Amino acid sequence: MNGVCVFGVTGGIAAAKATLAVSMLVKQGLDVHAIMTESACEFVSPLTFRTLTANPVTVDMFEEPGQWNVKHVSLAQRADLFVIAPATANFLGKTAAGIADDMLTTTVMATRAPVVIAPAMNSGMYGNPIVQRNIASLKALGYMFVGPESGRLACGDVGPGRMAAPERIVDFAMHALHGRGRPSLAGRRVLVNAGPTREPIDPVRYITNRSSGKMGYAIAGAAAARGAQVTLVSGPTNLPEPEGCALASVETADEMYQACMTAASDADIIIAAAAVADYRPASYSCSKIKKTADDMCIRLERTRDIVAELGQIKGARVIVGFAAETDDLLVNAQSKLVSKNLDIIVANVVGGERSAFGSDENSVTLLRPGLEPEALPAMPKLALAHEILDRAASIIRK
Ligand code: C5P
C-alpha cells in the first residue's frame, strides 16, 4: 500500500526492535520517515533508521544555528499514518498533557493521521496510575495503542511493559491505515468467527478443511482498529492473535457453536467467516482405531449450522455470512443469503488458482437482499475486511 508513515522512536531499549517494525512497514510499500528523540539516539543510531527508510531522520527542531525546522508541519501534514514505537512514559505524559517540546511531540501534535502507540517501559512505571491515566486519556481522544506485552524486561523485572512484537505493531498499524476516514465502530460489539474446525475421529485423527482463518482474522483486527469491541471465536490456525480482540479458541463445530451463541447475545454485527464442518464423526473412538480391515467406513452426522441458527434469532443484529464454492457461486450464495436469513453474503471461489483459501488476496462478490450483486476488485484481505465492515456498518439497525 502507498502512503507516508511517520515513525517516532523514543528512548528505550526496545528502540532496537523498532528497526524491525520500520523495515516491515517499508516492505508494505510505505514511505517511512523516522523521527527520534535525543534519548532514542543513545540506543540506536539515526543512521540505522536512515538506511532502512532511505529518508533523512529528524531529531532536532533546530538543526542549524538560527534555523527552525518546519519539517514537523510538513511531515505531520503528509502523514497517512503515525506510529510511535517504543513510546516511553515521558512521551505519553507530554502528549497527554499537550506538551510539544521536541520534534516528535510537536509533529504528533500537528498531525491528523491515525496515531498508533506502542508503549514500552518498566512494569513499575507502566503500573503507575499517572501513566495509566495518560494512556486512558489518549485512548479517549482516539489515539490507538498496541501492547505492551508481559514478559521479562530489560531491567530484569518480569511483568507488563515489554513493547509489542514488531509484527503486531505493523499488523495493527496497517489496519489503522486501511480504516482511515471510514466510519468508526466505537461502541459497537462485533462477533467474528474464523478458521476451520476439527472433528475428532479418535485421539490422533480428525476431519478438517483448508481454511487458514486469514479472512476472519483480518475482519476482527479491522473492526478492533475501528474501535469496536470484538470477540473472535477461532478454530485452530497458525495466525497471530489480532490486536484488541477477545479471543475464544475452539476446536470443534460444537465448541464454536457454544462460544458464538454466548457472544452473539449482545453483538451488533456478526460475521461468520469460519469454515465450520458440516459433518462430524457420529461416534468418537477413545482408543486409536487399528488398521484391521482393507477398507473402513466412518459414519458422519450433521453439525449445527451456526450462522443459520443465529439468523433465526437475528433481532436487530446485522449478520454477514460467507459462501465458499467451487461451482455455481452466485446461485449457491444467493440461496444461502435467503435460507440463513443473512444481511450480506460474501461469495468467494475456492479451489483452483483463484482459491480464497490460504491466500492473502481475495476477489469476492457481495450479495444483499433486494440489491444487485456487487463484484469487488481483487484486493488484499486486509482491505476487503474494511469494505465488508463498511457495508455491515451502513445497515446497523440500532
Ligand atoms: O452452507 P455453507 O456451509 O456453505 O455456508 C457458509 C456460511 O455458513 C459461512 O458463513 C459459515 O461460517 C456458515 N456455517 C455455519 N455453520 C455451519 C456451516 C456453515 O455457521 N455448520
Side-chain angles (χ1 to χ4, degrees):
M1 180 164 187
N2 294 332
V4 172
C5 171
V6 179
F7 196 104
V9 187
T10 70
I13 187 67
K17 268 204 295 182
T19 56
L20 298 174
V22 164
S23 80
M24 287 176 202
L25 290 165
V26 171
K27 278 199 196 107
Q28 295 279 342
L30 293 173
D31 180 20
V32 182
H33 294 258
I35 301 178
M36 298 176 75
T37 61
E38 274 182 16
S39 38
C41 301
E42 300 287 333
F43 291 91
V44 182
S45 155
L47 183 63
T48 306
F49 288 102
R50 189 191 163 101
T51 310
L52 291 172
T53 61
N55 280 317
V57 174
T58 324
V59 179
D60 202 344
M61 298 269 290
F62 307 94
E63 272 166 353
E64 292 163 41
Q67 281 252 331
W68 181 51
N69 194 340
V70 284
K71 227 185 192 172
H72 66 282
V73 178
S74 72
L75 271 183
Q77 282 171 347
R78 285 172 57 208
D80 299 299
L81 170 69
F82 213 119
V83 180
I84 299 99
T88 54
N90 180 52
F91 169 83
L92 298 174
K94 286 200 289 188
T95 307
I99 295 171
D101 65 351
D102 61 9
M103 185 66 182
L104 179 58
T105 46
T106 310
T107 314
V108 170
M109 192 74 76
T111 195
R112 290 195 178 87
V115 181
V116 172
I117 301 175
M121 64 200 75
N122 158 273
S123 304
M125 292 173 91
Y126 184 66
N128 188 308
I130 302 172
V131 172
Q132 289 302 317
R133 184 196 61 199
N134 291 337
I135 291 176
S137 58
L138 287 168
K139 277 186 180 169
L141 292 168
Y143 292 83
M144 291 178 273
F145 282 77
V146 48
E149 293 171 359
S150 277
R152 196 181 169 282
L153 306 174
C155 55
D157 285 3
V158 177
R162 194 164 68 179
M163 189 177 83
E167 297 79 11
R168 270 179 75 197
I169 297 173
V170 171
D171 194 49
F172 190 72
M174 291 310 289
H175 275 307
L177 181 59
H178 281 288
R180 187 178 42 126
R182 295 179 187 260
S184 160
L185 292 170
R188 297 293 179 189
R189 287 172 196 269
V190 177
L191 163 64
V192 182
N193 70 15
T197 62
R198 276 183 191 165
E199 309 304 325
I201 300 168
D202 69 14
V204 292
R205 304 176 178 103
Y206 53 77
I207 298 173
T208 190
N209 59 63
R210 293 185 190 277
S211 167
S212 64
K214 281 182 185 168
M215 191 66 242
Y217 274 57
I219 295 170
R226 286 166 69 169
Q229 226 173 303
V230 183
T231 302
L232 172 61
V233 178
S234 174
T237 72
N238 291 321
L239 301 173
E241 200 174 313
E243 189 61 31
C245 301
L247 177 68
S249 295
V250 298
E251 226 172 275
T252 64
D254 199 44
E255 286 166 8
M256 189 170 275
Y257 173 86
Q258 303 297 344
C260 288
M261 287 299 159
T262 307
S265 58
D266 56 5
D268 299 300
I269 300 175
I270 298 173
I271 303 187
V276 187
D278 295 320
Y279 294 91
R280 68 168 160 242
S283 63
Y284 172 76
S285 167
C286 292
S287 42
K288 187 184 166 195
I289 300 169
K290 306 303 281 179
K291 48 174 185 283
T292 48
D294 284 345
D295 58 6
M296 73 170 295
C297 185
I298 299 172
R299 204 171 72 78
L300 302 177
E301 65 183 14
R302 282 296 301 270
T303 55
R304 292 163 102 156
D305 191 317
I306 302 168
V307 82
E309 289 199 31
L310 290 169
Q312 280 168 23
I313 53 156
K314 181 153 88 172
R317 301 176 192 95
V318 176
I319 307 189
V320 182
F322 277 70
E325 302 286 345
T326 52
D327 308 289
D328 299 325
L329 177 61
L330 293 190
V331 175
N332 281 315
Q334 178 62 35
S335 88
K336 282 177 197 172
L337 178 70
V338 177
S339 67
K340 299 188 187 214
N341 195 22
L342 306 177
D343 297 287
I344 305 175
I345 194 150
V346 183
N348 51 183
V349 174
V350 287
E353 267 178 24
R354 286 182 52 220
S355 182
F357 275 173
S359 154
D360 288 327
E361 278 223 341
N362 205 355
S363 104
V364 305
T365 301
L366 304 181
L367 304 184
R368 290 172 56 176
L371 296 181
E372 283 296 308
E374 184 186 3
L376 297 180
M379 62 179 90
K381 285 182 176 173
L382 222 65
L384 179 58
H386 286 283
E387 295 294 330
I388 294 170
L389 285 170
D390 283 353
R391 309 248 178 342
S394 75
I395 44 181
I396 285 180
R397 300 181 180 87
K398 55 175 184 180

